[in-house]
Amino acid sequence: MWEDSLKAVGNEPAVIHEDEYRARQSRLLSQLRPNDLLIITAPHESTRSNDVHYPYRTSSDMLYMCGWEDPESVFCAYNEDGQWVTALFVQPSDVLKEIWEGRRPGVEGAMENWPIDLAYPHGDLSVKLSKMLENCSRVFVKMGVDSDVDELIEKEMKTMSRAKQKLGTGPVSIVDPSSKINELRLRKSEAEIELMRHSAKVASQAHIQAMANTKPGVGEWQLEGIIEGFFKYCKTSGIAYPCIIGSGDNATVLHYNVNNDTCDEGEILLIDAGCEYKGYASDITRSWPVNGKFSEAQAEIYQIVLDSQLAAIDECRVGRPYDAPHEAARRVLAEGLISLGLTNQSLEEALDSEKGDLKKWYMHNTGHWLGIDVHDVGVYLPDGETRVFEEGMVITVEPGLYFGAWRPDVDCPQRYANIGIRIEDDVLITKDGPDVLSSDCPKTIANIEEIVGTA
Ligand code: GLY
Ligand code: MN
Ligand code: MN
């Protein structure tokens, strides 16, 4: 039933090659000293109830450093005779557990197929990690992810403080490696970009399917079912974040996600949905009329948001500050409010972050980094300086206008009551300008009207 969309998504790209993982590890380890120890942790499994667990998703740093996805894993790197050695603690093979819970690569599989030098059963962690800690001076670890590792490190720090004074060895400080890893994750490789492009292609087609199946009377939850079903149909791991499927006044609630309302004649529907493909997120929003034809009032707002989004995308260029898209979008949105007579303020007044009218109807930022996490890592103001775009960075561009008539804090203009519009694309910075990874997803008024309700 989804064959055309599946064809439009195209073939799956290559997975990240072992050499790339090794290069990532080297880039990080080259910033450490020989007597440092690096530990990358993953969260514990979480129980839903009784014997049922929430679907497991490992830490993004674990995915980035070695691609291991299963629970009970710890990645370490230590220096031995001038060489960095990487080790991964994993769930060992266990026939009984595997009969119930599924097959495991085990220690042997990890050694054979993952980019590491050594693999150990997770049960050896305490003994082996204690030994590694004895021999190191700084421990690079993000605390608060794996409580067992935290406890072990704290215990070693305490018990070894005496020995340290006598022998001069043992851990002296805990350092969070996140700032170093995040800088690496911020710039995407060719292989990562292809995975992200695929993720965005799947999400684009999911939006097209949702558009085609929209008509008055359809349930937000039914469109959610189509989107999530399509994500799975394309062999992604599913949603990258809970789908936002808001019709009517729900479209004016930024992170609405109960998705239990009926889409009614005359309403705008806003869908913000993205998938995770091989660990990489897409994040797309489109807004369309439930009945397939924008009313005049809806089209007025839609066109302003679209113009602001195009102006913002045009700022996604090497060397431009990361907030240039936000400033461009704000300007076009404020001009739009003025042209519709929705404010008596001047442009500069409307843009004022304290007293401007723009923030009544546009209350969020225009974008965020995108990658392994939907709100991906990367400092926006490194050392207090505004980050400038570099090749390989991926940012979302997602301006909107939200006229919630239910809001007690503002007087909503009647003509635009409960119109909520956001248009969000995923944009790669390249030396040739912005490359919209989600460009398969229609966004002009004409293109959207052509599709809505055609299923
Ligand atoms: N999907 C959440 C966001 O757009 O940031
Ligand atoms: Mn977003
Ligand atoms: Mn979004």
Side-chain angles (χ1 to χ4, degrees):
M1 63 186 164
W2 285 324
E3 291 318 307
D4 287 347
S5 275
L6 196 60
K7 210 181 282 169
V9 166
N11 294 335
E12 292 188 76
V15 295
I16 307 268
H17 193 270
E18 160 157 14
D19 293 348
E20 182 165 330
Y21 286 112
R22 297 266 186 193
R24 293 174 184 179
Q25 295 164 8
S26 299
R27 276 200 289 274
L28 177 60
L29 294 169
S30 68
Q31 300 174 53
L32 270 49
R33 297 185 203 137
N35 52 0
D36 289 337
L37 171 65
L38 171 71
I39 306 173
I40 305 287
T41 48
H44 293 175
E45 278 189 293
S46 180
T47 304
R48 188 172 184 272
S49 76
N50 293 341
D51 299 329
V52 180
H53 288 139
Y54 284 105
Y56 185 74
R57 200 245 189 209
T58 190
S59 68
S60 296
D61 286 344
M62 182 67 77
L63 287 177
Y64 185 73
M65 295 311 297
C66 68
W68 188 263
E69 294 180 76
D70 293 344
E72 292 190 297
S73 70
V74 178
F75 173 94
C76 299
Y78 54 91
N79 200 294
E80 202 169 63
D81 306 325
Q83 292 289 323
W84 284 101
V85 179
T86 57
L88 187 64
F89 293 86
V90 301
Q91 292 176 317
S93 301
D94 178 328
V95 177
L96 196 58
K97 286 244 162 71
E98 290 180 51
I99 287 171
W100 282 92
E101 295 167 8
R103 305 297 304 276
R104 299 173 169 184
V107 171
E108 300 74 19
M111 279 298 286
E112 219 166 286
N113 297 314
W114 268 263
I116 45 157
D117 301 321
L118 296 169
Y120 299 113
H122 189 260
D124 289 3
L125 181 70
S126 170
V127 169
K128 293 238 181 307
L129 199 58
S130 297
K131 196 86 206 139
M132 291 179 205
L133 285 162
E134 264 176 36
N135 297 322
C136 81
S137 77
R138 297 186 302 175
V139 191
F140 280 77
V141 65
K142 185 171 170 177
M143 303 290 277
V145 179
D146 179 339
S147 52
D148 296 338
V149 171
D150 290 358
E151 260 175 47
L152 206 75
I153 292 170
E154 277 160 7
K155 186 169 138 258
E156 281 306 311
M157 295 281 277
K158 274 187 208 140
T159 55
M160 295 196 61
S161 73
R162 189 75 193 106
K164 240 174 349 200
Q165 287 165 27
K166 286 195 201 151
L167 309 171
T169 61
V172 295
S173 59
I174 297 171
V175 188
D176 188 338
S178 299
S179 59
K180 294 180 193 304
I181 298 173
N182 296 353
E183 279 301 304
L184 299 176
R185 283 177 50 188
L186 184 54
R187 298 164 185 85
K188 274 71 182 177
S189 69
E190 284 301 315
E192 288 181 292
I193 289 165
E194 287 322 305
L195 295 176
M196 291 188 71
R197 198 184 297 283
H198 191 79
S199 181
K201 275 180 173 287
V202 172
S204 296
Q205 293 301 321
H207 276 262
I208 290 172
Q209 288 298 335
M211 284 178 197
N213 282 281
T214 299
K215 36 192 89 147
V218 72
E220 293 168 352
W221 64 94
Q222 292 174 316
L223 299 175
E224 183 176 26
I226 288 170
I227 288 175
E228 292 201 11
F230 187 75
F231 287 168
K232 287 287 188 184
Y233 194 70
C234 292
K235 221 175 160 199
T236 71
S237 25
I239 53 170
Y241 55 90
C243 296
I244 296 167
I245 307 201
S247 56
D249 58 345
N250 303 326
T252 68
V253 177
L254 301 179
H255 283 174
Y256 171 85
N257 62 20
V258 286
N259 307 340
N260 61 1
D261 210 350
T262 303
C263 304
D264 291 320
E265 169 65 36
E267 289 179 337
I268 284 286
L269 171 67
L270 181 155
I271 295 193
D272 183 342
C275 60
E276 185 178 272
Y277 176 71
K278 299 266 161 55
Y280 287 84
S282 44
D283 182 6
I284 301 179
T285 308
R286 291 292 184 265
S287 315
W288 58 85
V290 169
N291 64 13
K293 179 93 182 101
F294 284 91
S295 70
E296 252 181 52
Q298 290 167 349
E300 284 162 15
I301 301 302
Y302 189 90
Q303 196 57 49
I304 290 169
V305 175
L306 181 57
D307 290 345
S308 79
Q309 203 231 13
L310 296 174
I313 289 174
D314 195 49
E315 291 288 345
C316 296
R317 293 176 185 278
V318 172
R320 295 291 293 145
Y322 84 90
D323 55 355
H326 184 51
E327 293 313 322
R330 275 168 40 80
R331 185 160 284 269
V332 176
L333 292 174
E335 285 167 352
L337 294 185
I338 292 168
S339 73
L340 294 180
L342 295 180
T343 176
N344 295 321
Q345 295 179 331
S346 68
L347 180 60
E348 291 321 308
E349 285 168 346
L351 288 167
D352 187 85
S353 59
E354 298 276 307
K355 300 206 180 103
D357 277 345
L358 177 62
K359 75 170 194 331
K360 288 185 190 167
W361 316 115
Y362 182 44
M363 51 303 264
H364 59 77
N365 277 323
T366 300
H368 50 81
W369 305 124
L370 183 70
I372 297 178
D373 288 306
V374 65
H375 287 187
D376 206 27
V377 294
V379 176
Y380 293 94
L381 296 167
D383 301 321
E385 297 289 318
T386 301
R387 168 92 62 189
V388 296
F389 287 133
E390 295 171 37
E391 257 185 271
M393 294 177 177
V394 180
I395 191 154
T396 65
V397 179
E398 49 179 306
L401 286 173
Y402 313 90
F403 295 95
W406 53 271
R407 283 172 55 190
D409 59 324
V410 283
D411 279 329
C412 180
Q414 195 46 42
R415 179 174 171 77
Y416 303 111
N418 292 329
I419 293 179
I421 304 281
R422 177 162 67 253
I423 307 174
E424 175 173 28
D425 278 307
D426 304 341
V427 180
L428 166 70
I429 313 292
T430 80
K431 63 179 180 0
D432 302 320
D435 178 355
V436 180
L437 301 178
S438 46
S439 61
D440 288 356
C441 196
K443 64 180 174 185
T444 65
I445 286 180
N447 287 347
I448 285 177
E449 287 184 345
E450 240 170 73
I451 298 172
V452 175
T454 53

